[in-house]
Amino acid sequence: MEDLLRPIYQERASDENTLGVLVIEKMKPNSPITDNLDVILLIIVKDAIQPWQVKHYEFDEKTAAMHVITNELLMKWIDTSGYRKAVAWLIYGKVIFDRNEFIANLKEQLREFPQGKRNLRKAIEFGKLIRSYSDAKDLYESAQYKDAYSRIVHSLHYLARLAVIEKGYHPEVTVWSQVKQIDPEVYKLYDELIESHEELNKRVQLMILAADFVISSRAKVSAKHLLDVIKSKKDAWTYGELKSDPRVAAYALDLMAMVAYLIEKEIIQTELTETKGAGVYHRKYRIDSER
């Protein structure tokens, strides 16, 4: 298969704009990593008019896709989990061209997972977790137990991803097998939810209570990226200012849910300032210096 693709990637490899080329082959009948195509050809470039281009091919009754991706977009995907397959491609792909050890260095960065990038990823997953967990509680209180169960499963998945990130790994592949090894507490929650013989409503109720404790105990660590942004300014933030800050762009859609939860847990404090309207106040957000 690689021989058949060689004319395609050799032309790219001869271009100085190309940083690296990887091949990811379908190894089993059902292959989400390759979108069930027989092979993925990943070409990483410095610059391109379109940051992501995809072409499909067919040869000898085999199917292939060529993804041409800029380094900038690839790094954004890695840092924000924008396209989870990208990390799997880098982990499992066979390197067939590597200019100046670009891919080797990129793989080393994945292994190191610097603390700053780790904090951003934790904030992203924490935002999704809080949103999903709030939905689960609301659905449970409305007696929509099947939907509540679905949302609590999603919540545990986000919690699992947080646990993996906290240990310094990228949570892109077989998350629960990772969690079983590195965070038995979170794995036990999932195991108890799935294996329990209690009635569905009782299972959801118990899991909401158990998850609340685990989420609360990890809130400060998980939301550190957001808390550091708030602390970076002496004065209190309006919500508009905070939402517009480019540092929180990756989790802006879940920002309000995060802020509300952190206020509830007294991690973020509110401050009121007068407006022209009698009895109407601007609400601002800050963190006490001693906290």
Side-chain angles (χ1 to χ4, degrees), residues 113 118 122 161-169 182-183:
F113 205 175
R118 205 183 304 177
K122 284 191 292 185
R161 291 171 65 82
L162 268 172
V164 173
I165 295 167
E166 182 61 32
K167 297 297 183 180
Y169 303 104
I182 65 178
D183 199 322

Side-chain angles (χ1 to χ4, degrees), residues 35-135:
D35 295 318
N36 281 323
L37 299 171
D38 292 296
V39 64
I40 296 290
L41 188 63
L42 176 63
I43 299 173
I44 307 166
V45 298
K46 294 178 188 175
D47 302 295
I49 296 174
Q50 291 182 318
W52 181 19
Q53 300 176 58
V54 184
K55 292 184 178 180
H56 284 189
Y57 300 92
E58 185 170 329
F59 50 90
D60 288 352
E61 298 183 356
K62 300 287 186 180
T63 55
M66 180 178 70
H67 293 256
V68 182
I69 304 170
T70 63
N71 179 42
E72 181 181 1
L73 178 58
L74 180 61
M75 292 309 300
K76 183 177 180 180
W77 282 349
I78 293 170
D79 292 344
T80 66
S81 192
Y83 190 59
R84 294 177 185 173
K85 285 192 180 93
V87 170
W89 288 347
L90 289 169
I91 292 172
Y92 294 114
K94 177 183 177 183
V95 180
I96 55 177
F97 175 72
D98 192 5
R99 189 181 301 280
N100 300 324
E101 298 187 331
F102 170 81
I103 295 177
N105 292 331
L106 187 55
K107 285 175 175 283
E108 183 61 28
Q109 288 180 43
L110 285 177
R111 283 190 289 270
E112 291 178 354
F113 205 175
Q115 191 64 52
K117 292 187 176 185
R118 205 183 304 177
N119 287 340
L120 174 59
R121 284 294 301 276
K122 284 191 292 185
I124 293 169
E125 298 299 337
F126 183 69
K128 293 175 181 177
L129 167 61
I130 295 303
R131 177 81 65 186
S132 183
Y133 178 69
S134 297
D135 288 347

Side-chain angles (χ1 to χ4, degrees), residues 84 121 125 156-165 170-183 186-187 190:
R84 294 177 185 173
R121 284 294 301 276
E125 298 299 337
L156 291 178
H157 187 74
Y158 294 131
L159 189 57
R161 291 171 65 82
L162 268 172
V164 173
I165 295 167
H170 283 268
E172 307 301 339
V173 184
T174 57
V175 171
W176 284 110
S177 64
Q178 286 177 291
V179 173
K180 187 175 183 179
Q181 300 296 322
I182 65 178
D183 199 322
V186 173
Y187 184 83
Y190 181 76

